[in-house]
């Protein structure tokens, strides 16, 4: 069954937020700074918020945060939410408003007024000054709030999109918005999919999930929804359109164990009430940190593999790349090469870390091996999974499906992921990219969601059922990298981008600055395509990353390399 239905936008993260700094476990609280952080494909702001909220009070140095995503709706929402934190002085009010703009389909008048009276005038002022500029002109604006700065660098068209998300179109009503959302979230064709998801939940959780799917407002179960009457303009911009898939869920973006551990109230079956408490508490900590530490933010909307041309000479203590190293996106060689050269060297900061996550790699290798449906292995995994599940009221198809859906949790994907890494000949890749895998992770666990198959005690059964009921599979894998300690000269890490740029500019110099990648759509033999010939010589014939698409989708307009600032 297809697990996706609705618009393919990812406005909410689907893996738990991580603190990418962990300064206490790395540089130490007395580190003088600065801490330069790069979120190369940020998605929503949860990793930014989690990282800064958890920086200990003992660290008093500067914090420089560069946040990038290629999707304008994501970038615009991130800017809007951060401006709420910076313009609303009361931490609890700011946290509540930010949460609802982040996650709720409908807002209160007070929340909408914050968008209209505090955030919109800032963006409107920029828009009024750039009317005469070309649509693709890159325009920068810096705002200062006490010790914090926020700089936004967007094309004129993207500034217009940012401004539009602060106003609800006049032809969009609450009833029409609810109908548009219901058409996706409560589609009749998706009843079976929803039932299969609910089957994995406890009865109280099913009630909470159904309520959130019905009203789309992130509140404790018993809280009144009567004041939430205004459609969230960051979601509703086109009549009849809900911009996300029906399986999008705020719970997917936060750590289940942290939510449970920090909840002080007795209603522990109110899963969205627990989430509301956890997020507002984290958001309030983030709000306080912005007023205690000087933090400078930069927002850009560019393709991740071009970021080296948008950060100046800055090198970073942490780079988080989400899962763009998965094969479907940039891939491992490109990600290591592009971001390895932006990472601080061991002599500058021995704790500097490049963090990659892989959502698909282990399973892809399993499917490629053909072992996923081997009868003997399926039978073994079903028996193993059944040990951790509560007994079914009666045997039947539902019980078989429940056990089959739990089988992924008992797979040992370590060998699959190691095979994935071996495919890229790590020694060669490491030499060419100038980075190497860290022997010991110091920021995030390699398998933070993996279930360890030990004796089926009541505690292990509870953990297993909670993971099964979540939106996670346990195959989410993180890899931490550092600059190779034998890399001495910077030109070693610059070799790929400079060579690719030199090879490609002549063909399209009039209109575009090409950064990298292949435009032959994988059809031409490697040696007959100029870019692939380079990759062929660089990685060898076993790893020539042909990419679909043409110059227009893989290039940055030359105008975008210039930025005009507005005061």
């Amino acid at each position: 069954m297809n697990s996706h239905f609705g618009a393919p936008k990812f406005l909410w993260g689907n893996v738990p937020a991580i603190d990418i700094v962990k300064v206490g476990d790395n540089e130490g609280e007395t580190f003088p700074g600065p801490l330069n952080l790069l979120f190369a494909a940020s998605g929503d702001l949860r990793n930014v918020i989690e990282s800064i909220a958890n920086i200990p009070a003992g660290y008093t140095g500067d914090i420089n945060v560069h946040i990038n995503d290629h999707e304008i709706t994501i970038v615009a929402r991130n800017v809007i939410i951060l401006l709420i934190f910076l313009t609303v002085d009361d931490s609890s009010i700011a946290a509540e408003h930010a949460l609802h703009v982040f996650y709720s389909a409908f807002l209160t008048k007070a929340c909408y007024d914050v968008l209209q009276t505090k955030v919109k005038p800032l963006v409107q002022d920029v828009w009024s000054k750039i009317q005469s500029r070309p649509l693709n002109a890159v325009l920068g604006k810096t705002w200062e709030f006490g010790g914090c700065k926020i700089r936004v660098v967007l094309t004129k068209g993207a500034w217009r999109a940012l401004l539009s998300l602060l106003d609800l179109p006049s032809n969009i009503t609450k009833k029409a918005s609810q109908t548009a959302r219901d058409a996706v979230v409560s589609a009749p064709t998706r009843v079976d999919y929803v039932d299969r998801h609910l089957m994995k939940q406890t009865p109280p959780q099913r009630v909470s999930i159904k309520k959130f799917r019905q009203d789309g407002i992130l509140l404790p179960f018993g809280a009144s929804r009567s004041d939430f009457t205004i459609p969230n303009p960051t979601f509703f911009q086109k009549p009849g359109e809900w911009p996300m898939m029906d399986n999008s869920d705020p719970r997917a973006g936060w750590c289940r164990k942290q939510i449970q551990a920090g909840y002080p109230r007795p209603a522990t079956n109110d899963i969205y009430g627990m989430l509301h408490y956890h997020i507002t508490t984290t958001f309030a900590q983030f709000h306080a940190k912005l007023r205690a530490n000087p933090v400078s933010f930069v927002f850009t909307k560019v393709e991740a593999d071009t970021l080296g041309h948008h950060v100046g000479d800055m090198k970073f203590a942490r780079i988080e790349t989400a899962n763009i190293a998965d094969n479907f996106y940039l891939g491992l060689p490109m990600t290591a090469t592009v971001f390895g050269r932006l990472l601080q060297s061991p002599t500058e900061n021995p704790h500097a870390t490049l963090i990659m996550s892989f959502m698909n790699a282990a399973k892809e290798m399993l499917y490629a091996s053909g072992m996923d449906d081997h009868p003997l292995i399926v039978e073994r995994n079903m028996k193993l999974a059944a040990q951790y599940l509560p007994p079914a009221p009666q045997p039947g198809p539902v019980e078989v499906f429940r056990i089959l859906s739990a089988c992924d949790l008992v797979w040992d994907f370590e060998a699959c992921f190691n095979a994935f890494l071996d495919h890229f000949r790590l020694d060669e890749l490491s030499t060419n990219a100038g980075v190497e895998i860290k022997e010991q992770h110091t920021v995030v666990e390699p398998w933070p969601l993996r279930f360890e198959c030990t004796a089926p005690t009541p505690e292990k059964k509870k953990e297993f059922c909670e993971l099964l009921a979540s939106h996670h599979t346990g195959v989410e894998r993180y890899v931490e990298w550092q600059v190779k300690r034998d890399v001495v000269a910077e030109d070693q890490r610059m070799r790929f981008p400079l060579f690719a740029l030199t090879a490609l500019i002549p063909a399209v110099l009039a209109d575009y600055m090409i950064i990298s990648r292949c435009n032959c759509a994988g059809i031409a033999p490697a040696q007959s395509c100029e870019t692939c010939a380079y990759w062929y010589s660089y990685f060898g014939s076993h790893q020539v990353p042909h990419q679909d698409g043409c110059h227009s989708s893989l290039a940055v307009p030359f105008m975008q390399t210039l930025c005009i600032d507005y005061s």
Side-chain angles (χ1 to χ4, degrees), residues 423-483:
H423 173 72
F424 293 102
R425 301 185 185 179
L426 282 183
D427 288 345
E428 295 178 28
L429 187 151
S430 181
T431 298
N432 292 327
V435 292
E436 60 190 359
I437 294 178
K438 291 168 63 174
E439 293 183 4
Q440 189 73 33
H441 280 216
T442 62
V443 178
V444 59
E445 295 178 24
W447 302 93
L449 299 171
R450 180 168 63 180
F451 179 77
E452 299 292 343
C453 292
T454 57
T457 63
E459 292 77 14
K460 292 298 291 185
K461 290 181 178 181
K462 180 175 183 290
E463 178 188 350
F464 186 84
C465 290
E466 288 176 348
L467 179 57
L468 179 62
S470 74
H471 291 266
H472 309 124
T473 62
V475 303
E476 298 85 354
R477 179 63 153 88
Y478 287 84
V479 180
E480 295 183 7
W481 303 74
Q482 63 188 5
V483 172

Side-chain angles (χ1 to χ4, degrees), residues 90 123 218 223 254 288 346 374 377 424:
D90 185 284
V123 182
L218 184 50
W254 299 90
H374 190 286
I377 296 178
F424 293 102

Side-chain angles (χ1 to χ4, degrees), residues 95-114:
E96 192 73 19
H97 289 334
L99 174 144
H100 289 301
V101 173
F102 207 133
Y103 287 118
S104 292
F106 301 94
L107 307 177
T108 63
K109 184 179 184 302
C111 184
Y112 187 70
D113 284 348
V114 167

